[in-house]
Amino acid sequence: MSVTPGPHRAPHPGLEARYGSTACPAADALNPFIEQLLSHRSVRAYLPDPVSEAELAAIIAAAQSAASSSNLNLWSVVAVRDADTRAQLAHCAGDQVHVREAPLQLVWLADLARLRHVAAQLGRPSAGLDYTELFLTAVIDAALAAQNAAAAAESLGLGTVYIGGMRNQPEQVATLLGLPSEAFAVFGMCVGRPDPTKPAAVKPRPAQSVVLHHERYCQDPLDAGVEAYNQAMARFYEAQQMKVHGTWDVHSAKRIAGPESLSGRDRLVEALHALGFKLK
Amino acid sequence: MSVTPGPHRAPHPGLEARYGSTACPAADALNPFIEQLLSHRSVRAYLPDPVSEAELAAIIAAAQSAASSSNLNLWSVVAVRDADTRAQLAHCAGDQVHVREAPLQLVWLADLARLRHVAAQLGRPSAGLDYTELFLTAVIDAALAAQNAAAAAESLGLGTVYIGGMRNQPEQVATLLGLPSEAFAVFGMCVGRPDPTKPAAVKPRPAQSVVLHHERYCQDPLDAGVEAYNQAMARFYEAQQMKVHGTWDVHSAKRIAGPESLSGRDRLVEALHALGFKLK
């Protein structure tokens, strides 16, 4: 398709940052929109400047433009600007400083409460909501919406980082935000203007052959891919002057070693039941 | 921020399509990137033209640029171009014609198998993967990646539609795609060039007040918001000459009436156990 042969072309900076030195055939189909997506980085240092109401509205419009399963819209989001609530959420999420400091925290909810209410207002049964399938649908709906929101925020020059730590203490988060039964904070998201004195970098990912399978799942490229990724991440940590002990594979394995490595999330099912989800 | 006062400005076409006539303060913060996100529509009629390898690589690069919890990368995707496999997947997903006809089906996986293998290669324990938390993390990782992929595909002029029906018969899908234990097809995604003779429309969403809560969850705007949305959807169906029986609330309530309305997905937990997930 391209007149310039791929291997001889200068590497694309966005692809090079995302994949390290690994060759990637995507360069022939890039455009400014995709280049913006490629430039994502997780921001953990923010200026205190507020996110404007217009920016928030644009971010939410982008979120609502993501697909929703059967158009059920099984998600909600709580926008928290109040400094005291942010500090309490930060405490729930393992005392992450950026949750306290970012001017806006978006807490994304898997929300079965709304449709439960809608069905009740109609006097109609809603026993389908008792099933794990609908909980999972709500989690997916929330995630799709949130990713559009993150991408939109970044296009406005804002930084974001997902906060999975919001699942460390789900009942406390629900109490703080006044959630009804059957609403669950899937994750948080810091939003704000990145502190230019502490810039974040694009993190490399494994080569496409590690995650992309053609026709059928194939584990053959995995071991070589992990080894190459270990090296790419080691170079990244060195370039960022980050002191990370161990390679990516060891670091990742430690993260899932057992229940004690899950920051309290080993009791997620118990917490979901306490929040009213039946999970049949 | 704007020199033109908001209420007197001509409505933004992208916002108008997304919200019907509802006013939305997002217009002051739009840019071409967000306008592209706003233009999303689900495409269910495709030309047979293949998606190029460069386009697929760009789509996957965008997917890998989404955040991944603790950089564990707990997802995979299977790209299916083979017509026979597409037909079998279409059958699994409730005989959806567009799954058979779209030239590319991307099946997005929650994939704990990779990290299980990585830990085993290191001789390290991986009991954390036995917990529902890690299954949920993998589903979220897959959804974030998929949404970037969908947005990237649309920016290339391709159409997409998510296929939740891939969860109707999870074991059959796993067999078709040769999935290892602890890999689960969260959803499919048709990708291809939209058939210009059957254009898809932007579907309205509820007003932002229905999904966006400030500081704490608040159900007060819900009933009026649902009523307004019923009317917006009725106008949409009429404009699209779609014969849809009942209002959005009734239609949605029917979808979650009980296990018999879940297209087989009431047995999702059983299927996940059969696929090797412990879900502790």
Side-chain angles (χ1 to χ4, degrees):
Chain A
M1 287 175 76
S2 168
V3 290
T4 315
H8 300 290
R9 204 179 30 225
H12 182 278
L15 289 173
E16 177 136 15
R18 185 58 71 199
Y19 291 108
S21 54
T22 312
C24 173
D28 284 326
L30 294 185
N31 60 31
F33 183 93
I34 295 176
E35 286 172 344
Q36 172 64 32
L37 292 176
L38 291 179
S39 73
H40 162 75
R41 61 214 59 196
S42 293
V43 171
R44 293 183 177 85
Y46 294 90
L47 299 178
D49 316 29
V51 175
S52 76
E53 283 302 320
E55 286 170 328
L56 176 59
I59 289 167
I60 300 303
Q64 290 190 270
S65 298
S68 163
S69 183
S70 299
N71 195 24
L72 296 181
N73 301 286
L74 293 174
W75 63 276
S76 282
V77 61
V78 185
V80 177
R81 298 178 185 274
D82 178 73
D84 184 54
T85 310
R86 277 155 42 202
Q88 292 184 67
L89 288 172
H91 184 66
C92 288
D95 289 312
Q96 295 186 49
V97 175
H98 40 283
V99 176
R100 198 175 63 227
E101 293 187 347
L104 174 62
Q105 182 67 215
L106 295 179
V107 184
W108 297 88
L109 309 178
D111 185 354
L112 302 183
R114 185 189 306 125
L115 197 46
R116 185 74 83 183
H117 172 84
V118 165
Q121 291 292 96
L122 293 167
R124 286 184 170 271
S126 57
L129 295 175
D130 299 347
Y131 286 79
T132 296
E133 160 64 15
L134 269 293
F135 168 72
L136 202 68
T137 302
V139 167
I140 296 166
D141 266 15
L144 302 185
Q147 184 53 26
N148 261 18
E154 290 174 3
S155 80
L156 292 168
L158 298 164
T160 68
V161 62
Y162 282 89
I163 306 297
M166 223 54 87
R167 298 195 297 277
N168 291 4
Q169 304 185 49
E171 298 99 321
Q172 286 86 334
V173 171
T175 300
L176 265 173
L177 302 180
L179 303 190
S181 181
E182 296 183 291
F184 164 62
V186 183
F187 43 70
M189 181 187 287
C190 298
V191 186
R193 250 152 273 279
D195 181 344
T197 68
K198 297 171 186 165
V202 170
K203 191 178 277 183
R205 298 288 191 214
Q208 295 205 347
S209 59
V210 172
V211 300
L212 173 62
H213 308 260
H214 293 280
E215 303 304 335
R216 288 172 63 85
Y217 194 101
C218 177
Q219 236 171 13
D220 294 348
L222 179 54
D223 292 339
V226 167
E227 184 49 36
Y229 188 49
N230 281 337
Q231 295 170 18
M233 285 301 290
R235 286 192 298 273
F236 173 76
Y237 289 135
E238 196 182 331
Q240 298 297 312
Q241 301 181 299
M242 293 166 72
K243 288 188 176 55
V244 175
H245 296 291
T247 50
W248 174 82
D249 55 357
V250 171
H251 188 74
S252 298
K254 283 182 181 172
R255 178 70 183 71
I256 50 92
E260 69 289 348
S261 57
L262 301 186
S263 308
R265 302 184 216 166
D266 52 306
R267 57 174 295 285
L268 181 63
V269 174
E270 179 190 330
L272 289 170
H273 282 139
L275 294 173
F277 294 93
K278 311 289 187 302
L279 303 180
K280 278 188 184 174
Chain B
M1 288 173 74
S2 168
V3 289
T4 317
H8 301 290
R9 203 180 30 226
H12 182 278
L15 289 174
E16 178 135 18
R18 185 57 71 199
Y19 291 108
S21 55
T22 312
C24 173
D28 284 328
L30 295 186
N31 60 30
F33 183 92
I34 295 176
E35 286 172 344
Q36 171 65 32
L37 292 176
L38 292 179
S39 72
H40 162 74
R41 60 212 63 194
S42 293
V43 171
R44 294 182 176 84
Y46 294 91
L47 300 178
D49 316 28
V51 175
S52 76
E53 283 302 320
E55 286 170 331
L56 176 59
I59 290 167
I60 299 302
Q64 290 189 269
S65 298
S68 163
S69 183
S70 299
N71 195 26
L72 297 180
N73 300 285
L74 294 174
W75 62 276
S76 282
V77 60
V78 185
V80 176
R81 298 178 185 275
D82 178 73
D84 184 54
T85 311
R86 277 156 41 203
Q88 292 185 68
L89 287 171
H91 183 66
C92 288
D95 288 312
Q96 296 186 47
V97 175
H98 40 282
V99 177
R100 198 175 65 229
E101 294 188 344
L104 174 62
Q105 182 68 216
L106 295 179
V107 184
W108 298 88
L109 309 178
D111 185 355
L112 301 184
R114 184 190 304 126
L115 197 47
R116 185 77 82 183
H117 172 84
V118 165
Q121 291 292 97
L122 293 166
R124 286 184 169 270
S126 56
L129 295 175
D130 299 347
Y131 287 79
T132 297
E133 160 64 13
L134 269 292
F135 168 72
L136 202 68
T137 302
V139 167
I140 295 166
D141 266 15
L144 301 185
Q147 183 53 27
N148 261 19
E154 291 175 2
S155 80
L156 293 168
L158 298 164
T160 68
V161 62
Y162 281 89
I163 306 297
M166 224 52 88
R167 299 195 297 277
N168 291 3
Q169 303 185 51
E171 298 100 321
Q172 286 87 333
V173 170
T175 301
L176 265 172
L177 301 180
L179 303 190
S181 180
E182 298 184 289
F184 164 61
V186 183
F187 43 71
M189 181 188 288
C190 298
V191 185
R193 251 153 271 279
D195 182 344
T197 68
K198 297 171 186 164
V202 170
K203 190 178 277 182
R205 296 288 190 215
Q208 296 204 347
S209 59
V210 172
V211 299
L212 172 61
H213 308 259
H214 293 280
E215 304 303 334
R216 287 172 64 86
Y217 194 101
C218 176
Q219 237 172 12
D220 294 346
L222 179 52
D223 292 337
V226 167
E227 183 50 35
Y229 188 49
N230 281 336
Q231 294 171 18
M233 284 302 290
R235 285 192 298 272
F236 173 77
Y237 289 135
E238 195 182 333
Q240 298 297 310
Q241 300 182 297
M242 292 166 72
K243 287 188 175 55
V244 175
H245 296 291
T247 50
W248 173 82
D249 56 355
V250 171
H251 187 75
S252 298
K254 283 182 180 170
R255 178 70 185 70
I256 49 93
E260 70 288 347
S261 57
L262 301 187
S263 307
R265 301 185 215 166
D266 53 306
R267 57 175 294 284
L268 180 64
V269 174
E270 178 190 333
L272 289 171
H273 282 138
L275 293 173
F277 293 93
K278 310 289 186 304
L279 303 179
K280 278 187 184 173

